[in-house]
Amino acid sequence: MTKASVVKDIKSAGQPYEGQYGTLYGFYVTFENGDNGKYNSKSENQTKFVVGQEATYEYIGREYQGKTYYTVKPVNPEYANVTPSSNTSVKTNSSKDELIVRQTALKAAAELGGTPQQVIANAQTFVDWVMKKAELQTSQEQHFAGRQEAQPKAQPQPVEADGLPF
């Protein structure tokens, strides 16, 4: 589970050990929200968890002989889907999420077709609906007004004697 909290304390977990990926240095990390767990770093002077600073981390529990032990792994907050705790303020990824929604809406609107103005109007309608921006949504009349600007439909081509238009 991805969480975020301010680091309250860090203590060495003893001697380094040789792991699958080389020498690892263990640290016990305690957070203000009450979480605590072991963090293994490749660096003796780890900088991922700093006392007094907020950290975004994976909180992973493992059972061993009937007891649960926790490990923590740092996560880049820009790519995290964070579970907020009561003791911390968590930044949201709303701008990134909105960008993804806008790209998806534009693709869907382009598949519907129409003039560029119609595609953009449809895309904005989709974005507003997904992002629940009812106050920004256009009325049905405003939305369909843009469709009146549509280019005239192609005239039917004359059909040859064999029934094909070419």
Side-chain angles (χ1 to χ4, degrees):
M1 170 186 316
T2 304
K3 295 183 163 191
S5 183
V6 174
V7 177
K8 186 176 175 181
D9 189 37
I10 299 175
K11 293 181 183 174
S12 172
Q15 295 295 317
Y17 65 95
E18 289 301 315
Q20 179 179 349
Y21 302 105
T23 303
L24 294 175
Y25 301 86
F27 297 90
Y28 293 114
V29 184
T30 303
F31 297 93
E32 283 186 357
N33 65 2
D35 290 348
N36 58 63
K38 187 175 180 187
Y39 167 59
N40 291 318
S41 172
K42 291 194 81 163
S43 171
E44 186 174 7
N45 300 316
Q46 69 83 25
T47 58
K48 300 293 184 180
F49 296 106
V50 178
V51 174
Q53 290 186 5
E54 183 175 84
T56 304
Y57 57 96
E58 283 289 321
Y59 194 56
I60 306 159
R62 291 188 170 84
E63 293 288 326
Y64 179 72
Q65 295 183 349
K67 190 170 180 182
T68 304
Y69 295 90
Y70 291 93
T71 57
V72 293
K73 292 183 181 180
V75 173
N76 184 337
E78 186 176 332
Y79 303 107
N81 189 6
V82 177
T83 302
S85 68
S86 59
N87 296 340
T88 182
S89 61
V90 177
K91 295 178 183 177
T92 62
N93 293 330
S94 62
S95 61
K96 182 179 175 186
D97 292 344
E98 187 164 357
L99 180 60
I100 292 169
V101 169
R102 289 174 57 89
Q103 291 171 341
T104 304
L106 182 60
K107 182 177 185 301
E111 288 173 358
L112 285 176
T115 66
Q117 294 80 12
Q118 291 171 333
V119 170
I120 292 170
N122 285 336
Q124 188 60 54
T125 300
F126 296 161
V127 169
D128 292 345
W129 184 84
V130 171
M131 301 302 288
K132 297 183 179 180
K133 294 181 180 179
E135 66 278 1
L136 299 177
Q137 291 181 355
T138 58
S139 70
Q140 186 176 14
E141 294 80 26
Q142 290 171 326
H143 175 73
F144 286 109
R147 293 184 178 265
Q148 304 306 322
E149 302 168 8
Q151 298 172 353
K153 293 183 180 179
Q155 297 297 321
Q157 296 179 355
V159 178
E160 300 290 326
D162 60 2
L164 298 174
F166 46 86

